[in-house]
Amino acid sequence: MNGMDAYIEYAISALLVIGGLFGLVGSFGLLKLRDTMQRLHAPTKATTVGVGSALIASMAYFMLIEGKTSWHELLITLFLFLTAPITANFIAKAHMHLAIREEDMPATGVGTDWATYDPEMEVVDPALLEPVQRN
Amino acid sequence: MSLALIAALPFLGALLPGLMIRAGKNACALVTGSVTALALLLLGLNAPAVLRGEVIHTRIDWIPSLGLNVNFFLDGLGLLFAGMILGIGLLIILYARFYLSKSDPMGQFYTYLLLFQGAMVGIVLSDNILLLLVFWELTSLSSFLLIGYWKHLPEGRQGARMALTVTGAGGLAMIAGMLILGNIVGSYDLSVILENKEAIQSSDWYLPALILILLGCFTKSAQFPFHFWLPHAMAAPTPVSAYLHSATMVKAGLFLMARMWPVLAGTPEWFYIVATTGLVTMVMAAKIALFKDDLKALLAFSTVSHLGLITMLLGFGTAEAATVAVFHIINHATFKAALFMSAGIVDHETHTRDIKRLGGLRTLMPITFAIATLAALSMAGIPPLNGFLSKEMMLEEAAHVVWGGNRWIMPVLATIGALFSVAYSFRFIAHTFLGPVRDDYPHHPHDPGIGMWAAPAFLVALVILIGLVPMTAAAWLVQVAANAVTGQEVEVYIKHWHGLESPALWMSLLAIGGGFVLLATHARWLAMWNAMPRPEAKPMFDAVISSLSHLATRITDRLHDGAISRYFAIGTVTIAAAAFYAFWTGTHTTGSRPLLPIEAVPFLGWLAMVLATIAIVIFHRNRLLTLVLIGIIGLTISVGFAYFSAPDLALTQISVEVATVILMLLALNFLPKQTPQESSPMRRFSDMAVAGISGFGIAVLAYALMTRDFAFPTIADYHIANSKPEGGGTNIVNVILVDFRGYDTFGEITVLGIAAILIYALTEALLRAGPANDRLLAWAPDQRRAGDRHPMMLVVATRLILPIALMVGVFIFLRGHNMPGGGFIAGLVVSIALVMQYMASGFAWTAARQKVDYHALIAAGVLIAAATGVGAWFNGMPFMTSDFGYVHPPLVEEFELATAAIFDLGVFLTVLGAVMLSLASLSRIALRAGETVNVEPFDIDPSEGRRIANEEAR
Amino acid sequence: MMSHWIIAPVVLPAIMGALIVLLMRHDLLLQRIFSLAATLALIAIATALLIAASNEGPEMYRLGNWPAPFGIVLMLDRLSAMMVMLTAVLAVAVQLYAIGTGWDARGRHFHALFQFQLMGICGAFLTGDAFNLFVFFEVLLIASYGLMIHGGGKNRLRAGVQYIAFNLVGSSLFLFALATVYSVTGTLNIADLAVKVPLLPEGDAGLFRVAAVMLMLVFAIKGALVPLQFWLPGTYANAPGVVAALFAVMTKIGAYAMIRFGVMVLPPDSPAMGSLIADLLLPSAIATLIIGAIGVLGASTLSRLAAFAAIASMGTLFLAISAFTPAATAAGLYYMVHSTFAGAALFLITDLVISRRAHDRLDHALPPIAQSGLISALFMLSAIATAGMPPLSGFIGKLLVMDALRAQAALIWPVILGTSLLMILGMARAGSTLFWKAHASAPTEAPTHRPEGLAFVAVFGLLGALIVWTVMAGPITTWLEATAVALHDPSAYIAANALPPLPQEVK
Amino acid sequence: MILDYALTFAFLCFGFGLAMNVYRVFRAPGVPDRILALDTMVVNVIALIVLYGIKTKSGINFEAALLFAMTGFVSTVAYCKFILRGDIIE
Amino acid sequence: MELLVASALGLLTSAGIYLMLRQRTFPVIVGLTLLSYAVNVFIFAAGRLVTNMPPIIDKYAAGYTDPLPQALVLTAIVISFGMTAVIVIMALGAFLEAGHDKIDMTDKDESANPAEGTK
Amino acid sequence: MLKRLFPHPLLSVVLFVTWMLLVNQFKIGSLVMALILSIIIPWMTAAYWPNRPKLKQLPAFAAYCLLVMWDIIVANIQVAKIILFMPANKIQSAWIPVPIELKTPEAITMLAGTITMTPGTVTADMSSCGRVLLIHSLHAPDPDAIRDDIKSRYEARLKRIFE
Ligand code: NA
Ligand code: NA
């Protein structure tokens, strides 16, 4: 093993360790933090980054050590980063809907409700009310 | 051949009355009569030979392997019976023409009558006991129709069912008996069986066979204790009674005893069973007949009594007694048919058969009186009528029979029977015809036209003729018949005078005298009879049948009450028990395959799965949570597949699991969100035990399998070896799916396609007017709904994720043949991507922007798959033979163009179409439940700073 | 000579079903014409296959041209040809009835589901591969779910849920069994199994027996063998009458599979199996017959009566199978065809009755039904056939079965005869209640739903088939005996598979 | 060599993470928490698959990882939307 | 590992059967789903457990796991997916028709047991 | 012509890259396939993406991405510290409404996503007029600072890029 390879290995190992740590922290946060909204922070960030590191490590490993092109990890990482905010948004909304009363939330400051609490948001297009007959 | 024709004619003719009835009643009767007459004529053509002592055979193979053949033979006994059946049948047809009223469907009647006649002729001509059984049961069925002919009468219905039940049951017993007999002899041909007396009587199976066959005979011939059905069968129209209970149906039992006499009779078993039954029946029925006020009931019990008499004679087991039996069969047929017809005339004219309301008809109906009286006197055994002759001979035989070491029982009881017979016969005459003319008949009587009395008159003429010149008129027939019954030459010498030393004379005189006394003192006896408690057969029978049927209903409805959870429990226990039994009774050695070491992380995965599974049992009443937990289980299984070298499975499992959960979520929206606690702790415990044992069994089985090697080299070796060179793909699993076992996959996608069109059809049914539709229209969400139906973040993210996901779908599809992937997974991936789009902006919004015919997708998928299969035919290869080649179209991605890939395209389309069609169906249900369709992809317009809803929608 | 016709009974309905979905789903008339034409064509194909199977012996069809046991093969032999023929004939009658009464218009996709149903059934009969049998079981099952709930309605749907649930358990069991079979023997081809089962090492026998029993239990579920019969009454009684009539062949699939495997692959003379299956089957079959007959007597509706009659007939059939002798198998086959037609006729007649009456309850005094003459005659005939009374084939079938089981006469004959009596009682009760019930009022007012002639043609056809089956019983039993002999000595069947020789160490 | 240790360390980290997620699924105040735990589980599983890929020097399961990411996302949204609206696709 | 797989699939089977014995359509369907998961794992296990030998032809591969059970499982998964979809929708239909989701048809107005019915 | 072929050039580019990442190889054939798919798929999904915004400054967008990536790393270290070392009862969580001026849905979403991925904040909801985002902060001793930081650091940039 030449020097270059050793550095590469150290780098990959470091990525793995960092990734593992973040992953652990994310899941640990899930246990430690007190309420649901707090817990939501842990996995959305720590775990996502943890798995991201592991993925990059993997990509580096295959490309630099095994000599195989491997871009899938990048794709997975991007996908996770793309979806994490949506997931968090939905879980937050679900939690608010189930467990937090509207009165306990700060006002929007613009006179309208927060969307989750706004019961009037039913959108109706009479033209489309005919059954969508498309067998 | 002509024998078969004789038997077949009535059946063939049975089609005619129904047709001819349009031409009128006379035509109908004429046709029926002609058919019968033709059969009788054919019989007559055969008669001379039989009388010469020949036996005529006709053999037609039907089911040789079973030994059931259409073999007929005609001997003296057959000739006698067939003659009676057809001859009296002809008279009945004549009589019925005038008896039946305008409202009675005559065509039906004659059809039934001919069916019955054919069955009877079949019985007496059969030379094969299985064939005989066929006809035997046919008499039960056709008599059921005849007895129940007057459908409006409850008595008719009940009588018919009772007759069917009793005679049918006896018939079934007889089937067993006959099969035993056939098995002893090795043939079901009667003529063969009749030659094997030794074999039969020495067999261990003789007694069972005897009892079973006699059960058939006794029920049919209304012997004690099965006699009770016969009087209730009197609800039938009189022609039916006259036919069934004089010459035909009830005589079938006698016929069979006579027929089997050569091989069954002569043993103590035979004697004690048959003679005793006959004796008891004779006396008992005669006694009952004394007290019956209904003319037909009286005649019915007299019939039972006379049948008992004949049975007794056959039971004696001597050739002489059997000869007398034959003679009495003839005599009874003549006078009893005449009597029934007379009773019918009385009923027809006076509109009553109640002896208490009759009397004095002698002057009003002189012809009827003459006929009835002569017949009744014959029944009473008054000389010189034919009844006298045979009764005298019967007494003579009885006088010499020792029963259980006692010389007196038989003669005394026989005399008593005769005495009763005299009494009821005289009562029939006296209380109906004699005495003063009354003025309170329900209908003013007079003699009917000749059409109605001609038949009984003819029979009475026979009564007299045989009575006067028995040797000329009947002896020849008795001779041949008795020869046939006994299987030996018998000497028939019928005479009026047996001499003073004959005990029969004195017994007979005693009977006549006693009969007169009994009749004179009838009122007193009647009072005694009425005061006596006596078991009524009908209520008892009804009680038995109805309790049987109630019991059956109880058992049936208790067992099959729709409680599927119990069905499941029983099924599971059964399966587990059978599997354990199979294992314990087999041999087993433990496997020697080395185990894989347990690693830490897979162990954690195992733990996750175990905990999730336990959680699902604990929390299952919270349905949403249940679905979340299913997600975990699906995930761990999927990872497990990946770990154990099954990448395709991992892909499939996870995508199917998500699709399943989404479907269940969609359904759960309309279902209760909680499952109530309904079962008792005890029940839950037992369920847990059942589940635990079964699961344990499966675990042990799986462990045993995993830890051993295959007993034989597996066929998968071939797949591994040929996947690349012959199948053209490196993903062996995929090559198996689309090639080696592509036919499985073809079936599998068809299942998916059917599932989708089923769901569609079901949705259509639900959305039609009905409770489901009403419930949907009135549906109110059972949970609070958040405001933001289509959150902007998801919508925007989906704009990017959907195209990427579609691309992933294409990728997975294209590489499936060589790497994990393939049509099915690709179809699901694309489906899931679309589901994401639906969740973002709603199904209807999405569907409105992309018109896809889901039905067409499914059908096209199946058709493409089928077409790739069929395509091989044009290469001269079998269905689904694939072809492949590595094509390198310039500039395009290098992939292999295998027909298997086209097949996989079919798979892809079907999966996509199926999921889409199911989702579309659910969306329609949601719309019916009040969901609305949005105009914009999301509900908030940030550019305007407002909700889109309020202005545009309302 | 490999004939592509062998696959036709599967491909033809599959393509027709797909075409109906694709092109004709809005036009009932087209559906009727093409669907019926396809079914008639199926009869023609089945006839050709039957002749070929009779004359030339078993024939193999390699799907994808892969040799057995590595690929899936179809096997045409006398039994499979007969079953396809039976299905086709029944299908035509059912289809005529559905068209005649307009049942097919009461919901969507009747004809497509019907064709897929045929595809599944024919596929199950023709396959020579155990796992493929599972696949086609599923095809026929899912189509049957669709047909069962055709027209919808509360009870039908609820019964449908039960039907599916029960069958899902059956399918799971089937897979457990097949996995175990493969795990022990390493093969899925039926002929290959027939070769290997007798050679199984002793140490594997226990596990294999478990697999075999599970497999038989799957078939027992399909065949409604007690105590796994519970699904049947609710399903049949709640299915549309015309579908219940088609289902007459569904239970036979269980029996078919039990013959195919029990007799051919797991015969009592193989050391691993011994008399295991017979030991379990005999008592169950007796119980099935008794429960069915009790049900016929105790049924409170005509449809349930017909359903229990179906159970009873399966009892008789399984009794015959349990003997594992050629004669008994032949008797069973004879009875199987008989009871399929008889059961179907009974369900169709039940439907005729229901359509003329407010309901089909047997414990309610209702006015007799209008136009009862012809229907009561038809009912009587089908009752005779069902109860096994002469002169129809039911009686011959029972005689054949009893004759073939004479070795156990003391046990079996009383059961067969006693249950016959119960069924006669039940049928007589039902018939007289429905058609004779005295009532002051006039017959029920004109029926709202008046079946057309085609419906009666269908019923006549089925009863006519019974008559043919009776009259031709001689040649038929001869043919069936040869069929049974071939099943008990499957060397020709195995040879037709052209299996590779066994490796040396196994021999 | 060091890579092996790092790999093992990462395995254990994500493995314990997984175990903690399972605990949270089991004991949580509400369904959203459980959904969150499940979602986190999916991510941890993806990490484990990737690590396993390194360990076995095989990229065979990367499609599975990609699919896990996709299906995990879709199912999380579906569960949440069910809580929010009942009807997840209308 | 064999022990873990066997015990997990046994547990899955047990849970599936237990839920299958409940009285409402929903838990029964969940139970059947679990049962089908168990079946799939069982078929898979019937091919013996192997790690890191995916059935993808590769010249460097040390060997291949038995691919056939995997193919069978795939078929089984797809089929049970279709079946589950059908029973889910059918249970929904039954609920909408009947107004409750009891799976037993023992209640008074069901024709599965007409004797108890509209008297 | 080019416009018709690539109605949504950026999406096509993304898809093109995605395909190349998926196939793991750089061959002419793959390029062609990527090209075909990046034409077809946007065309097929175009109906689901009405009113496509235009990116005004591509370099700014790239810079923004780098900024966010850096922030993610920082954010994670912060969050990790809080989780690991801060006693649970010392954590001061807060809801913070953030009024926004962005009007493009894509921009708003991008902002919301950025907020979730960066320091201790999660975007939980939006006002029903679309003008206020609801942020939950894990540890926010000074909520106003967080709000201002979001507006200046991210929103301003996004406004430049999108509007
Ligand atoms: Na996330
Ligand atoms: Na595949």
Side-chain angles (χ1 to χ4, degrees), chain B residues 166-192:
Chain B
V166 177
T167 63
L172 291 168
M174 206 172 88
I175 292 176
M178 291 300 197
L179 285 178
I180 294 176
L181 214 56
N183 276 314
I184 296 174
V185 175
S187 166
Y188 292 115
D189 281 352
L190 253 176
S191 31
V192 179

Side-chain angles (χ1 to χ4, degrees), chain B residues 1-150:
Chain B
M1 190 59 224
S2 76
L3 292 186
L5 193 58
I6 295 170
L9 263 175
F11 290 113
L12 299 175
L15 300 169
L16 297 176
L19 300 174
M20 293 305 292
I21 191 66
R22 290 167 204 277
K25 300 198 166 192
N26 287 329
C28 187
L30 200 64
V31 162
T32 314
S34 313
V35 169
T36 310
L38 186 58
L40 192 59
L41 179 71
L42 286 174
L43 185 72
L45 292 178
N46 285 300
V50 175
L51 292 174
R52 280 197 303 275
E54 290 172 25
V55 178
I56 299 162
H57 288 275
T58 302
R59 313 182 66 89
I60 303 169
D61 277 357
W62 184 11
I63 315 175
S65 59
L66 176 61
L68 168 51
N69 291 317
V70 189
N71 295 345
F72 293 107
F73 75 141
L74 184 66
D75 62 355
L77 185 64
L79 180 67
L80 166 64
F81 267 89
M84 279 193 332
I85 292 159
L86 292 169
I88 296 184
L90 205 51
L91 297 177
I92 295 290
I93 290 164
L94 170 66
Y95 176 78
R97 162 64 190 89
F98 298 98
Y99 180 88
L100 291 179
S101 71
K102 284 200 182 75
S103 59
D104 294 325
M106 187 179 276
Q108 238 176 59
F109 181 86
Y110 280 130
T111 296
Y112 296 165
L113 192 80
L114 282 176
L115 286 177
F116 176 77
Q117 190 183 70
M120 279 308 302
V121 172
I123 289 180
V124 301
L125 295 184
S126 289
D127 183 16
N128 181 291
I129 51 177
L130 298 181
L131 183 67
L132 187 149
L133 284 172
V134 170
F135 289 119
W136 185 274
E137 296 287 35
L138 271 181
T139 60
S140 298
L141 288 172
S142 46
S143 65
F144 174 74
L145 294 172
L146 281 171
I147 297 169
Y149 174 73
W150 276 333

Side-chain angles (χ1 to χ4, degrees), chain A residues 40 43-45 47-48 80-81 83-88 91, chain D residues 36 39-40 43 73 76, chain F residues 117:
Chain A
L40 190 53
T44 35
K45 296 181 191 66
T47 309
T48 310
L80 286 176
F81 277 68
T83 56
I86 319 294
T87 308
I91 294 175
Chain D
L36 176 61
D39 191 61
T40 314
V43 180
F73 169 65
T76 303
Chain F
M117 296 311 291

Side-chain angles (χ1 to χ4, degrees), chain C residues 356-357 366-370 372 433-439 441-444:
Chain C
R356 286 163 166 75
R357 218 164 172 256
L366 271 189
I369 64 173
S372 69
T433 309
L434 290 171
F435 301 107
W436 286 1
K437 200 83 187 179
H439 212 275
S441 67
T444 38

Side-chain angles (χ1 to χ4, degrees), chain B residues 616-681:
Chain B
I616 219 170
V617 170
I618 296 173
F619 297 132
H620 80 265
R621 294 194 294 116
N622 181 342
R623 295 180 172 183
L624 174 61
L625 182 54
T626 305
L627 294 183
V628 175
L629 292 168
I630 284 193
I632 297 179
I633 295 174
L635 177 70
T636 43
I637 291 177
S638 179
V639 180
F641 285 145
Y643 177 69
F644 291 116
S645 316
D648 277 286
L649 281 187
L651 294 175
T652 311
Q653 173 73 38
I654 195 70
S655 35
V656 162
E657 187 261 328
V658 170
T660 308
V661 165
I662 284 170
L663 264 175
M664 288 174 120
L665 282 172
L666 285 167
L668 183 58
N669 179 35
F670 296 99
L671 294 170
K673 309 292 177 286
Q674 296 284 329
T675 305
Q677 176 77 273
E678 282 169 321
S679 43
S680 63

